[in-house]
Amino acid sequence: MEDVRARVLAANRAIVDAGLVTLTFGNASGVDRSAGVMAIKPSGVPYEQLDESAIVFVELASGDVVDGTLRPSSDAPTHLVLYRRFPDVGGVVHTHSPYATAWAQAGRELPCLGTTHADHFRGPVPVTRSLSVTEIDGAYEEATGDVIAEALEERGATPLDLPAALVRGHGPFTWGAGVEDAVENAIALEAVAALAFRTFAIEAEVAELDAALHERHFTRKHGPGRYYGQS
């Protein structure tokens, strides 16, 4: 658990350093499945005040705080849904990064226009449906997790092949096998969201990337025969 605490603290600092966070608009979490707990940033605490003692541990099954004196992020129920629905996920990041959030507010999925996108996401990044009034008035944050999972399942995508979603009217969530991967995917998502915005500004009728090229770029980094990087 101490290792998870340190990694989650480092992840929260990393999303700030990457320019993905304004004020306290964001959070990162990591999971220790052997202990049945999630570690997450506390709610509303400025990032410069974070240290390892501030990280809150929440039981995966119940959502109860099991270690820490502060209240966990208000988005904790969303993170918990993703961990419960997707056993391969080991880290989750939520930000309000400018370009990815703009796509979410526009209610538009993020199409794959080039190989930068294809290197990280196997398909367009989905945008969720709108939450109903009942969902908003009820367990809102949990319902947010449900619509993310729903959007992913509708694509038939595995969570590590398509490790991001845009919550309509809200902002981006990313995840990965570990919290470090979730951070990397948050950085990549913001980069490709910015590139797509600029591409459409130059050419409004641009076509999505050829499917074969998209698949080649994704699999050379993530497939069983991947050859990008060092062994």
Side-chain angles (χ1 to χ4, degrees):
M1 286 176 62
E2 291 309 309
D3 175 64
V4 175
R5 191 191 304 272
R7 290 168 59 202
V8 168
L9 174 62
N12 278 283
R13 288 175 172 168
I15 59 176
V16 174
D17 292 343
L20 304 182
V21 171
T22 301
L23 300 176
T24 59
F25 305 161
N27 41 74
S29 72
V31 68
D32 183 338
R33 292 195 180 272
S34 63
V37 294
M38 172 186 75
I40 193 166
K41 178 187 178 291
S43 180
V45 175
Y47 283 85
E48 62 273 15
Q49 296 178 16
L50 287 182
D51 58 21
E52 287 192 18
S53 68
I55 301 300
V56 184
F57 280 87
V58 176
E59 187 176 53
L60 278 177
S62 67
D64 294 336
V65 173
V66 294
D67 187 74
T69 60
L70 300 174
R71 190 163 52 207
S73 167
S74 58
D75 294 308
T78 307
H79 292 237
L80 287 171
V81 169
L82 298 177
Y83 290 127
R84 292 167 183 162
R85 297 279 285 269
F86 303 123
D88 291 339
V89 169
V92 176
V93 167
H94 170 52
T95 73
H96 290 247
S97 57
Y99 283 96
T101 301
W103 284 88
Q105 291 182 166
R108 290 189 59 181
E109 72 173 18
L110 182 58
C112 179
L113 304 181
T115 60
T116 310
H117 182 127
D119 282 340
H120 289 274
F121 307 105
R122 198 175 202 169
V125 175
V127 63
T128 70
R129 65 171 173 83
S130 298
L131 274 72
S132 68
V133 172
T134 300
E135 289 170 324
I136 294 167
D137 289 344
Y140 165 66
E141 289 82 9
E142 186 173 338
T144 299
D146 289 337
V147 296
I148 293 171
E150 178 185 297
L152 204 63
E153 290 164 351
E154 285 177 353
R155 294 290 179 87
T158 62
L160 299 187
D161 280 356
L162 190 51
L166 305 172
V167 178
R168 188 180 296 262
H170 186 168
F173 282 79
T174 61
W175 48 86
V179 67
E180 298 84 2
D181 304 299
V183 170
E184 180 177 317
N185 290 328
I187 294 169
L189 178 63
E190 180 64 7
V192 298
L195 285 171
F197 176 85
R198 291 165 177 152
T199 301
F200 279 120
I202 295 169
E203 177 50 73
E205 302 301 322
V206 64
E208 292 195 39
L209 186 68
D210 176 79
L213 184 56
H214 187 154
E215 184 68 5
R216 180 58 183 262
H217 265 262
F218 184 83
T219 56
R220 73 174 189 166
K221 291 189 74 171
H222 305 284
R226 59 188 178 272
Y227 57 89
Y228 177 87
Q230 304 304 309
S231 61

